[in-house]
Amino acid sequence: MEILSAHHVEKMYANHRALTDVSISIEEGSVFGLLGPNGAGKTTLLRIINQITAPDKGTVNFKGRPLRLSDVELIGYLPEERGLYKKMKVGEQALYLAQLKGLSRRDALRRLKTWFEKFEIQPWWDKKVMELSKGMQQKVQFICTVLHEPELLIFDEPFSGFDPINANILKEEILALKERGATLIFSTHNMASVEEVCDHIALINESKKILDGSIDKVRDQFKSNTFEVSFKGAIGDVSNALVGDFEILDHTEGKRFDSIRVKHLNGTSNNELLTRLTPNVEIVSFSEVIPSMNDIFIRAVEETRQK
Amino acid sequence: MQNKTWIVLQREYLTRVKKKSFIILTFLMPILFSSFIFIPILLDKIDTPEVNTIAVVDKSELFMNAFKETESLKYKYIDPVEFDEVKQKMKEKNFYALLMIPQNIYASNKAILYSDRQITMGTESTIRRQLENLMEKDKRAQLIKELKVPDLEQRLRNTNTSIKINSVKISEDGKAKKSSAGLASAIGGVTGFLIYIFLIMFGQMVMASIMEEKTNRIVEVIVSSVKPFQLLVGKIVGVALVGLTQIVMWVVLSVILLFVAKSYFLGGQIDAAQAQDLMAQSAGVDMAQVQQMGGEKAQEIFEIINGIDFVSIIGFFAFFFIGGYLLYSSFFGAIGAAVDAQEDAQQFMLPIMLPIIISFMMMMIVVKNPDGALAFWGSMIPFTSPIVMMARVPYGVPAWEMALSMSLLIASIIGAIWMASKIYRTGILMYGKKVSWKELFKWLRYKNY
């Protein structure tokens, strides 16, 4: 079942177009990656979903009906530009933000206690925010985002500003939220993190959606029919054996064996490739080259640029 | 959702009221204010007047024992033969000064006051006045004797006239009330000044608070839970309540302090009559005359105070205070949302500070001339009316003018809030961009919630 969908959303600012006819659909319980270079329009789309700004055209549905103002209490949003009141005490501030999300003071206090214990940050309660380091502030912000146990969580560049250890803690917490049934939207240009956690991605470039689908499908779509073969033997024999039907993209010499990347040219099968090689060299390993999300990202963006 | 405006309002109010600077200012001002009133009285109390003795050598022999002694001046008549000795040893003989009245005083109109120190103006003028009075009386008595008209002295005394002018204001319901131009201008000036101070102080407070949220980058977190308009309204109203709290605290604390100080330091000794004596003395008025008029005068002051419509003054003050604040805090708020840093705010501040300062200057003139063209237009234009109108209120303003001024102000407030919320919505999420006036006008046309 889809929890959120946007249909033909458009947004214009004075001097530029932020979104052009963007539609997305997010399944309940999934992790959705919203990707794109800086300035592509990701944050604008997230702001529309959070009802911070309104689209010029198009609609957004939440749980199958148009988005309502009261839905903010079911959504948690950690924006890219995030901060806290510097002179306010940590505990007081967390209570304030929780109450704005519709929690009662008592509930908020109880839940905050649990979270503060979990992160072992109880001593911070009466400290002013300005006394905390940036990483510490990010932890507080994360707690404030998830405290009202929203069904839909939106993280805009969540890992920026975290050291590797804290980034890992954060990642585990986010995955734990998914286990509990929450739906997640990640907006980022950090592709490595996307591969690990996302089920589904949409790529936005220059205000337009240029790619959309499950991670596996997107990968299939960008597969280049390339294979990596490691072997013991002479490279000259290999190139003689493959000439005509295959293209050797590159060749790396190793201490114990060499590797090449090969592309099928005339729709030949993998077995054909192996049959040609086995008489000449000893094969150590054979595998398909799967494009990384980073490659896909760069290729997709470049392709649209050429158009 | 209304509930969220209330949560914002609470935070805005409580964080400010709990601030040290607020608490200090709230308590310091009444102390300062009451000490302005009490320290001079207290000093006067402590400073018991010195009694100076004046030696008098009267060569004319016309004024023997005729000088009246006052609280600070005593006279001792000495024989003219001792003149030189006293003149030499003034200090040892404990004389403050030596008055020498020459034999031909009627011809020369000159007397000499010797002293080994600088004689105060007050002492000199008291002695001069006494001498003049004595000579006048003497001359008149001589004249009466020469003219030989029966009962002339009594008849002359009957010509003494003292006139009092009471200004009476006819109010619209035809009732006559005693009024005082001095008191009215004082009330107008003070209330206008208070609004002026608060517009600047609390308008800038709204601006700083919005800028803080923007530069701290917390605003996007908050507007994902609250509508920007709710945040803006909660903030503006919260700060307004801080201002009202401060004013009420100032008034209440000042009154308490004045009472406490009065009973503690002075033991209630200074009553109205004594205060009058004090004033009369310093003004050099004849004491007897003042005492005679005392009862009447107190009655008159009481009537004037009664003649001032405090209820309407407080009512209009509250209206123009809140109205002016809403108008200007909208502008200040819009600036706070549009800029990224304090330095960028300067170019937008000037056009907003200017009308406030101009209205203050207009108010100073209007207080003296509450019915002129400047007063009329100043109290109609919404940018100046909150301050200028207060200068006119104590004198009484025609109902239609008041109604028009208030409606114009309300209409402008609605316009200003609409404009501010448009700029606010766009501005708070706009980072790292230098805004210009042209840009601001563009924002007004953006479609938003």
Side-chain angles (χ1 to χ4, degrees):
Chain A
M1 206 193 104
E2 70 176 19
I3 186 166
L4 184 111
S5 58
H7 305 278
H8 310 289
V9 168
E10 308 231 344
K11 180 80 185 172
M12 269 295 287
Y13 286 116
N15 306 319
H16 76 285
R17 190 172 274 279
L19 291 171
T20 311
D21 192 27
V22 171
S23 301
I24 55 166
S25 165
I26 299 169
E27 285 296 308
E28 192 165 353
S30 69
V31 180
F32 188 94
L34 187 62
L35 315 178
N38 289 326
K42 290 172 294 181
T43 300
T44 303
L45 182 58
L46 295 185
R47 281 178 181 168
I48 288 169
I49 293 171
N50 278 293
Q51 304 179 73
I52 290 169
T53 176
D56 296 339
K57 269 187 216 158
T59 51
V60 179
N61 285 347
F62 186 68
K63 295 179 147 187
R65 51 158 176 80
L67 198 58
R68 285 198 291 246
L69 207 52
S70 58
D71 290 335
V72 295
E73 291 175 11
L74 304 173
I75 300 176
Y77 177 41
L78 187 65
E80 183 179 9
E81 297 283 3
R82 51 189 175 243
L84 296 163
Y85 290 109
K86 291 212 160 44
K87 287 175 188 162
M88 214 171 164
K89 284 177 184 161
V90 173
E92 232 175 281
Q93 183 147 202
L95 274 176
Y96 173 61
L97 293 174
Q99 281 174 290
L100 286 183
K101 278 289 186 191
L103 281 182
S104 73
R105 205 184 149 83
R106 250 204 13 236
D107 279 352
L109 208 59
R110 188 173 45 79
R111 289 188 197 181
L112 277 171
K113 233 183 115 192
T114 320
W115 274 103
F116 271 56
E117 273 165 21
K118 193 173 189 177
F119 280 180
E120 293 171 352
I121 55 172
Q122 298 102 309
W124 299 358
W125 187 271
D126 272 327
K127 271 194 184 159
K128 281 186 181 168
V129 171
M130 56 201 282
E131 297 170 54
L132 305 184
S133 73
K134 205 168 171 223
M136 290 159 128
Q137 292 184 26
Q138 298 254 32
K139 270 190 186 170
V140 177
Q141 278 158 357
F142 175 77
I143 294 173
C144 292
T145 310
V146 302
L147 195 73
H148 59 294
E149 293 174 0
E151 293 174 39
L152 177 63
L153 276 153
I154 301 169
F155 297 98
D156 198 351
E157 296 294 352
F159 301 109
S160 69
F162 274 98
D163 60 63
I165 294 166
N166 279 318
N168 224 25
I169 294 174
L170 187 67
K171 202 189 286 170
E172 275 164 28
E173 287 302 331
I174 289 172
L175 289 174
L177 292 170
K178 190 198 167 191
E179 292 301 305
R180 285 215 313 260
T183 310
L184 275 69
I185 301 178
F186 269 108
S187 165
T188 183
H189 50 249
N190 176 1
M191 296 304 136
S193 62
V194 170
E195 259 162 312
E196 279 177 72
V197 296
C198 290
D199 308 322
H200 197 108
I201 60 155
L203 182 55
I204 293 180
N205 188 43
E206 287 172 355
S207 87
K208 295 185 192 85
K209 187 179 81 177
I210 56 171
L211 195 63
D212 188 6
S214 73
I215 283 251
D216 297 337
K217 267 195 195 144
V218 169
R219 281 214 174 104
D220 274 349
Q221 195 183 327
F222 278 81
K223 264 198 303 205
S224 50
N225 225 7
T226 311
F227 294 84
E228 187 173 271
V229 186
S230 302
F231 61 91
K232 285 180 179 163
I235 179 70
D237 297 340
V238 171
S239 47
N240 284 336
L242 297 181
V243 75
D245 292 327
F246 303 90
E247 186 192 350
I248 299 173
L249 297 173
D250 56 19
H251 168 232
T252 11
E253 275 180 54
K255 273 182 186 161
R256 301 199 348 265
F257 52 81
D258 288 11
S259 302
I260 51 166
R261 289 205 294 162
V262 185
K263 199 173 176 183
H264 295 267
L265 290 178
N266 305 318
T268 42
S269 72
N270 286 341
N271 281 353
E272 174 76 27
L273 173 64
L274 291 173
T275 321
R276 294 242 194 134
L277 287 173
T278 38
N280 299 305
V281 292
E282 184 195 343
I283 290 173
V284 178
S285 73
F286 177 82
S287 63
E288 186 173 7
V289 177
I290 295 167
S292 71
M293 283 315 292
N294 212 29
D295 295 336
I296 294 174
F297 181 97
I298 292 166
R299 268 178 60 196
V301 169
E302 271 171 2
E303 272 169 29
T304 49
R305 220 168 258 162
Q306 280 156 15
K307 281 176 202 166
Chain B
M1 293 316 261
Q2 221 44 50
N3 186 29
K4 290 189 178 171
T5 311
W6 175 243
I7 297 170
V8 172
L9 191 156
Q10 267 182 315
R11 192 200 86 88
E12 296 292 336
Y13 180 79
L14 289 176
T15 49
R16 287 199 172 71
V17 171
K18 281 196 242 161
K19 257 190 197 160
K20 268 190 210 115
S21 56
F22 176 85
I23 295 170
I24 290 172
L25 197 64
T26 302
F27 284 93
L28 206 63
M29 280 298 282
I31 291 172
L32 220 65
F33 172 70
S34 44
S35 54
F36 271 130
I37 295 183
F38 264 90
I39 286 175
I41 296 179
L42 206 62
L43 289 180
D44 195 71
K45 244 355 221 193
I46 293 163
D47 183 28
T48 47
E50 209 180 330
V51 179
N52 293 323
T53 310
I54 311 284
V56 180
V57 173
D58 185 7
K59 286 190 177 159
S60 68
E61 292 180 9
L62 288 167
F63 307 105
M64 291 308 286
N65 297 322
F67 281 95
K68 239 193 275 171
E69 301 202 331
T70 70
E71 263 181 53
S72 56
L73 281 184
K74 299 220 176 311
Y75 299 95
K76 189 163 189 281
Y77 296 86
I78 54 172
D79 201 273
V81 291
E82 288 175 62
F83 176 75
D84 280 324
E85 195 194 334
V86 173
K87 198 175 152 194
Q88 297 301 321
K89 298 177 179 170
M90 206 122 44
K91 207 167 260 166
E92 283 127 82
K93 298 210 176 236
N94 258 334
F95 288 122
Y96 177 71
L98 170 61
L99 176 66
M100 210 280 281
I101 300 170
Q103 208 165 357
N104 63 343
I105 174 105
Y106 276 87
S108 67
N109 280 336
K110 268 182 195 153
I112 302 168
L113 196 59
Y114 297 96
S115 182
D116 54 359
R117 66 198 103 176
Q118 183 60 48
I119 294 166
T120 62
M121 289 258 283
T123 308
E124 196 202 282
S125 68
T126 307
I127 293 170
R128 195 191 67 232
R129 244 181 300 120
Q130 287 211 22
L131 198 55
E132 279 168 2
N133 278 343
L134 289 172
M135 284 169 66
E136 267 172 31
K137 243 189 225 165
D138 188 53
K139 281 180 186 168
R140 197 180 303 160
Q142 297 257 343
L143 192 64
I144 287 166
K145 232 186 246 169
E146 277 170 31
L147 289 175
K148 289 193 174 110
V149 180
D151 292 333
L152 184 59
E153 196 175 348
Q154 187 57 44
R155 283 159 71 186
L156 272 177
R157 200 172 293 152
N158 287 347
T159 63
N160 281 353
T161 317
S162 157
I163 286 285
K164 201 163 63 173
I165 292 187
N166 290 339
S167 54
V168 173
K169 199 187 95 196
I170 315 284
S171 62
E172 269 158 47
D173 52 8
K175 269 191 230 154
K177 278 177 175 172
K178 287 209 170 152
S179 69
S180 156
L183 196 60
S185 74
I187 290 174
V190 167
T191 49
F193 180 71
L194 268 181
I195 291 182
Y196 165 76
I197 290 286
F198 272 78
L199 284 190
I200 292 180
M201 222 166 103
F202 289 91
Q204 294 202 37
M205 204 181 262
V206 169
M207 185 180 86
S209 156
I210 290 171
M211 260 167 62
E212 185 204 1
E213 280 172 358
K214 194 182 171 186
T215 50
N216 279 358
R217 301 286 195 263
I218 191 172
V219 70
E220 193 163 352
V221 176
I222 291 182
V223 293
S224 70
S225 327
V226 189
K227 284 186 74 176
F229 188 68
Q230 291 178 310
L231 180 60
L232 184 64
V233 168
K235 191 179 292 293
I236 287 179
V237 177
V239 173
L241 290 179
V242 174
L244 285 177
T245 307
Q246 189 142 59
I247 282 202
V248 170
M249 290 287 279
W250 281 355
V251 170
V252 170
L253 286 175
S254 297
V255 169
I256 291 173
L257 266 177
L258 285 178
F259 271 103
V260 169
K262 189 184 160 200
S263 55
Y264 185 76
F265 288 118
L266 310 171
Q269 283 168 357
I270 289 213
D271 49 31
Q274 252 173 314
Q276 251 178 37
D277 284 0
L278 219 75
M279 283 187 324
Q281 249 177 352
S282 54
V285 183
D286 191 326
M287 288 295 299
Q289 219 179 337
V290 170
Q291 256 149 18
Q292 188 194 351
M293 284 168 52
E296 233 177 296
K297 199 133 197 171
Q299 177 71 21
E300 199 179 317
I301 289 171
F302 188 67
E303 271 180 56
I304 288 170
I305 289 175
N306 262 2
I308 290 168
D309 188 355
F310 282 105
V311 176
S312 72
I313 287 179
I314 290 171
F316 287 131
F317 176 75
F319 177 86
F320 283 103
F321 173 81
I322 293 167
Y325 166 80
L326 288 178
L327 182 69
Y328 278 102
S329 63
S330 302
F331 294 135
F332 279 116
I335 297 174
V339 301
D340 260 344
Q342 185 74 48
E343 306 87 70
D344 301 337
Q346 298 306 328
Q347 58 155 328
F348 296 107
M349 288 264 287
L350 185 70
I352 288 160
M353 293 291 282
L354 215 56
I356 301 181
I357 294 164
I358 289 173
S359 12
F360 181 68
M361 296 193 291
M362 282 164 88
M363 192 251 325
M364 309 267 263
I365 299 165
V366 170
V367 146
K368 287 179 220 138
N369 181 17
D371 296 314
L374 185 72
F376 177 79
W377 290 108
S379 57
M380 286 303 134
I381 298 167
F383 294 102
T384 54
S385 68
I387 293 173
V388 175
M389 187 55 105
M390 278 326 290
R392 294 184 61 195
V393 163
Y395 293 98
V397 181
W400 73 270
E401 284 186 26
M402 187 54 98
L404 181 59
S405 166
M406 286 168 99
S407 326
L408 284 173
L409 184 57
I410 290 172
S412 327
I413 290 168
I414 293 168
I417 289 179
W418 172 83
M419 178 221 74
S421 65
K422 278 263 177 190
I423 291 179
Y424 181 76
R425 270 181 232 142
T426 309
I428 48 172
L429 298 173
M430 194 77 77
Y431 300 117
K433 195 169 182 184
K434 274 238 176 206
V435 283
S436 59
W437 285 103
K438 214 176 114 196
E439 190 92 13
L440 286 186
F441 286 115
K442 255 186 212 158
W443 293 2
L444 290 179
R445 295 202 308 270
Y446 277 3
K447 184 181 174 248
N448 249 314
Y449 273 123

